[in-house]
């Protein structure tokens, strides 16, 4: 009898190849599929043993090689390709088989695909996979949602291949429909927010404290050993050390200051707007990538306007201030993303547990951070916590650091150093913690020009005033 492989993977790019090798390393037999012969052959060579890892360019051969119910994961670019791969599989697979979309698909596409496939008796689920190429090989964080029955069949494989935090796998079933892709989308929105914040801190340390790359390396390295411990702070410290192969200096100084994006951060912002949930620390991170792309206009405008001469600061004082402001802003950014997730969970019927999400983000993914262990505990203590800022365990952390965020924002504004992520985080905090905001005036204006009515502080009911009289 021919061998029936445990797991199938379509899309043998870097992520797919690494993921399938990870599956094989964990004792499961795996079969890959890609249209590209070179990728198929490369995997066979790297796998070393065809009984352990095999691959083909032919879909029918691929499907035939898998044990039933077939567990087929796609790691292909989001969009039309996903639909094309599904259509290519359908003539060959059977009821009860499982298709997993491991890419960054937009969540409504996942809902559509799940409805379409469940009618045909196929289990479909979207599973966000985070951790980049290294994560896929050594242990990513995996965010599955959708068919629960389908997930149960794959659970042992996913738990084996995922990253582990103190022995606990960084994967868990998150909820029905597109819950997995939605959580991954917000993960990426947070990724944008945290990356923007670290880039601002780099800027202010460089311009205000005259820190050179070597000092930036040691500063971020030291921070990574403390409460800011996180993958992004860790790689930031390493980036400052990287020598440039074409010059005497470090590579960072030769990289063009234009950040690209594939869209997941923008989707997070757009959907937060649809839900009516404020995520300004994520919004501004998307806007900053857009501003960064306007390089030639920025160069032109730089010549037209004066910029204050930066008043340099004592290095140690600046390091202390930036560490506190960054920690504060990280907390506020996570608070916003988790708020969005809690709201989306109600709106879309995901019924996700925020503590579970925080738990599976503690290792493997790009936004993994020491802070997520505290966040997990905060939501374990109160699953219906509306906002991290209301958690008793976060009050002291925020109180102790907000002062530095204020000083840093003021310093940036006075000296012409843009710190929009820190500043938006601070503004969100100040607004969220204000029992009284000036939006009474907006209601008055709406009623004045459009008879939109208003409510009163002292009486129940809806009111309208004939203002001009
Ligand atoms: C991850 C990353 C991954 C990818 C981003 C990059 O979790 O492993 O988020 O999914 O690197 O999508 O996004 P941009 O190209 O939009 O920066």
């Amino acid at each position: 009898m021919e061998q029936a492989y445990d797991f199938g993977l379509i899309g043998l790019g870097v992520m797919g190849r690494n993921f399938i090798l990870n599956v094989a390393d964990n004792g499961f037999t795996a079969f890959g599929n890609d249209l590209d012969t070179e990728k198929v052959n490369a995997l066979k060579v790297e796998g070393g043993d065809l009984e352990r890892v095999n691959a083909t360019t032919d879909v029918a051969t691929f499907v035939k090689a898998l044990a039933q119910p077939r567990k087929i994961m796609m790691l292909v670019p989001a969009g039309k390709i996903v639909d094309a791969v599904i259509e290519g599989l359908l003539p060959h697979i059977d009821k009860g088989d499982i298709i997993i979309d491991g890419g960054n698909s937009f969540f409504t596409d996942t809902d559509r695909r799940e409805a379409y496939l469940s009618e045909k008796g196929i289990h479909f689920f979207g599973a966000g996979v985070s951790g980049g190429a290294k994560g896929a090989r050594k242990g990513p964080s995996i965010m599955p949602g959708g068919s629960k029955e389908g997930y149960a069949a794959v659970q042992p494989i996913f738990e084996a291949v995922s990253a582990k935090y103190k022995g606990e796998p960084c994967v868990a079933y998150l909820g029905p429909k597109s819950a997995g892709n939605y959580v991954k989308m917000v993960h990426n929105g947070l990724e944008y927010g945290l990356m923007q914040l670290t880039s601002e801190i780099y800027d202010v340390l460089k311009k205000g404290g005259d820190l050179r790359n070597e000092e930036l390396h040691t500063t971020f390295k030291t921070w990574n050993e403390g409460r800011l411990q996180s993958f992004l702070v860790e790689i930031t410290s390493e980036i400052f050390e990287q020598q440039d192969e074409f010059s005497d200096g470090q590579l960072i100084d030769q990289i063009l200051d234009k950040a690209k994006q594939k869209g997941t951060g923008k989707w997070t912002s757009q959907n937060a707007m649809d839900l009516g949930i404020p995520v300004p620390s994520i919004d501004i991170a998307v806007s900053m990538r857009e501003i960064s792309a306007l390089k030639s206009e920025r160069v032109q405008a730089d010549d037209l306007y004066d910029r204050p001469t930066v008043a340099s600061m004592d290095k140690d004082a600046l390091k202390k201030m930036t560490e506190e402001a960054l920690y504060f802003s990280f907390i506020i950014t996570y608070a916003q993303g988790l708020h969005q997730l809690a709201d989306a969970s109600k709106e879309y019927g995901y019924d996700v547990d925020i503590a579970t999400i925080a738990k599976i983000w503690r290792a493997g993914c790009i936004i993994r951070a020491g802070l997520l262990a505290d966040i997990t505990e905060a939501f374990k203590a109160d699953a219906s916590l509306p906002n991290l800022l209301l958690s008793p365990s976060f009050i002291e952390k925020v109180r102790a650091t907000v002062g530095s965020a204020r000083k840093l924002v003021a310093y940036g504004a006075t000296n012409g150093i843009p710190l929009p992520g820190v500043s938006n985080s601070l503004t969100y905090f100040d607004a969220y913690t204000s029992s009284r905001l000036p939006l009474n005036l907006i209601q008055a204006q709406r009623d004045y020009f459009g008879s939109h009515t208003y409510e009163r502080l002292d009486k129940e009911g809806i009111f309208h005033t004939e203002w001009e009289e």
Side-chain angles (χ1 to χ4, degrees):
M1 203 180 100
E2 274 185 41
Q3 186 186 346
Y5 289 77
D6 300 322
F7 186 77
L9 197 138
I10 301 179
L12 301 178
V14 187
M15 287 291 287
R17 191 180 68 236
N18 283 353
F19 196 92
I20 199 170
L21 290 168
N22 183 359
V23 170
D25 282 351
N26 280 283
F28 300 96
T29 55
F31 210 101
N33 170 241
D34 199 290
L35 294 175
D36 185 338
T37 314
E38 269 181 37
K39 286 183 183 152
V40 163
N41 290 338
L43 176 68
K44 284 181 176 175
V45 171
E46 210 174 334
D49 171 4
L50 293 183
E51 284 185 12
R52 202 174 74 103
V53 188
N54 205 340
T56 175
T57 53
D58 180 53
V59 180
T61 312
F62 166 72
V63 172
K64 242 195 195 153
L66 302 174
Q68 283 176 297
R70 301 180 182 91
K71 299 158 200 75
I72 302 171
M73 179 154 168
M74 301 178 285
L75 271 168
V76 298
K80 289 201 174 93
I81 298 183
V82 175
D83 293 305
V85 170
I86 291 173
E87 288 308 319
L89 279 171
L90 280 177
H92 307 287
I93 59 176
D94 294 294
K95 281 194 175 161
D97 285 349
I98 300 143
I99 303 182
I100 307 151
D101 179 5
N104 284 329
S105 286
F106 191 56
F107 70 100
T108 55
D109 285 340
T110 300
D111 286 332
R112 171 176 57 76
R113 288 170 188 141
E114 205 220 347
Y116 172 67
L117 289 168
S118 72
E119 264 182 26
K120 298 181 187 303
I122 306 293
H123 298 292
F124 177 75
F125 66 91
V129 178
S130 177
K134 225 182 193 169
R137 185 73 181 85
K138 297 282 172 209
S141 168
I142 311 177
M143 295 154 244
S147 162
K148 203 169 189 173
E149 210 185 317
Y151 177 66
V154 186
Q155 191 173 350
I157 301 180
F158 275 11
E159 289 187 353
V161 302
S162 73
K164 308 288 177 301
Y165 178 84
K166 296 189 178 163
E168 283 186 73
C170 288
V171 56
Y173 177 77
L174 296 174
K177 300 188 287 181
S178 51
N181 282 125
Y182 192 92
V183 170
K184 177 62 177 24
M185 178 186 79
V186 175
H187 166 284
N188 283 24
L190 287 166
E191 176 182 301
Y192 275 51
L194 305 178
M195 289 168 82
Q196 173 59 31
L197 289 166
T198 46
S199 78
E200 290 172 19
I201 297 299
Y202 151 57
D203 199 26
V204 75
L205 284 170
K206 195 172 159 172
K207 290 178 179 156
D210 200 25
L211 266 73
R212 305 298 154 95
N213 290 329
E214 179 55 29
E215 288 170 290
L216 287 164
H217 160 70
T218 49
T219 303
F220 278 88
K221 190 168 183 287
T222 310
W223 289 353
N224 192 46
E225 284 152 17
R227 60 186 170 178
L228 280 172
Q229 186 279 315
S230 57
F231 173 70
L232 287 169
V233 168
E234 181 190 334
I235 63 164
T236 302
S237 102
E238 286 171 11
I239 284 168
F240 293 121
E241 266 197 319
Q242 184 74 40
Q243 290 298 315
D244 180 29
E245 59 177 313
F246 302 110
S247 68
D248 288 341
Q250 280 82 29
L251 174 59
I252 185 70
D253 297 321
Q254 302 303 330
I255 296 180
L256 183 65
D257 53 331
K258 270 166 91 168
K260 301 221 163 111
Q261 51 180 322
K262 290 204 279 295
T264 44
K266 185 182 78 180
W267 292 345
T268 309
S269 275
Q270 283 173 326
N271 185 254
M273 288 274 176
D274 289 343
L275 293 171
I277 298 297
V279 293
S281 303
I282 297 173
D283 300 337
I284 198 66
V286 178
S287 297
M288 285 307 288
R289 291 202 190 189
E290 286 154 2
I291 294 181
S292 84
L294 306 172
K295 174 81 175 177
S296 59
E297 286 172 52
R298 289 193 282 118
V299 170
Q300 204 185 336
D302 196 350
D303 273 348
L304 301 176
Y305 296 94
D306 292 336
R307 185 174 290 279
T309 311
V310 175
S312 60
M313 266 192 75
D314 171 70
K315 276 185 190 178
D316 287 335
L318 185 61
K319 280 190 216 167
K320 184 173 185 302
M321 192 198 287
T322 44
E323 191 272 343
E324 290 180 357
L326 187 56
Y327 184 67
F328 167 85
S329 305
F330 271 15
I331 293 175
I332 302 295
T333 304
Y334 278 114
Q336 294 168 29
L338 295 173
H339 188 193
Q340 176 171 353
L341 278 171
D343 194 75
S345 176
K346 287 187 211 128
E347 183 69 25
Y348 305 128
Y350 297 146
D351 198 21
V352 290
D353 175 42
I354 303 295
T356 303
I357 296 173
K359 204 171 110 171
I360 65 167
W361 284 350
R362 289 177 303 178
C365 65
I366 303 297
I367 63 166
R368 62 185 184 258
L371 200 46
L372 280 162
D374 301 334
I375 295 175
T376 304
E377 293 312 314
F379 283 93
K380 264 190 194 163
D382 180 1
S384 60
L385 192 66
N387 191 303
L388 195 58
L389 284 169
L390 300 177
S391 161
S393 58
F394 272 81
I395 297 169
E396 206 33 56
K397 298 185 203 313
V398 171
R399 276 191 190 147
T401 50
V402 61
S404 284
R406 291 193 196 291
K407 283 189 209 135
L408 189 67
V409 168
Y411 176 74
T414 313
N415 290 283
I417 304 170
L419 300 171
V422 182
S423 148
N424 268 19
S425 301
L426 180 61
T427 302
Y428 173 88
F429 170 78
D430 280 334
Y432 186 78
T433 56
S434 291
S435 60
R436 194 106 165 88
L437 287 169
L439 287 278
N440 48 336
L441 178 60
I442 292 179
Q443 277 302 81
Q445 290 165 331
R446 292 178 73 244
D447 191 55
Y448 188 113
F449 62 67
S451 303
H452 293 298
T453 73
Y454 56 88
E455 290 170 277
R456 297 181 56 95
L457 288 167
D458 55 349
K459 286 190 211 326
E460 289 284 313
I462 303 292
F463 297 85
H464 167 63
T465 296
E466 290 302 319
W467 295 88
E468 274 149 308
E469 284 167 25

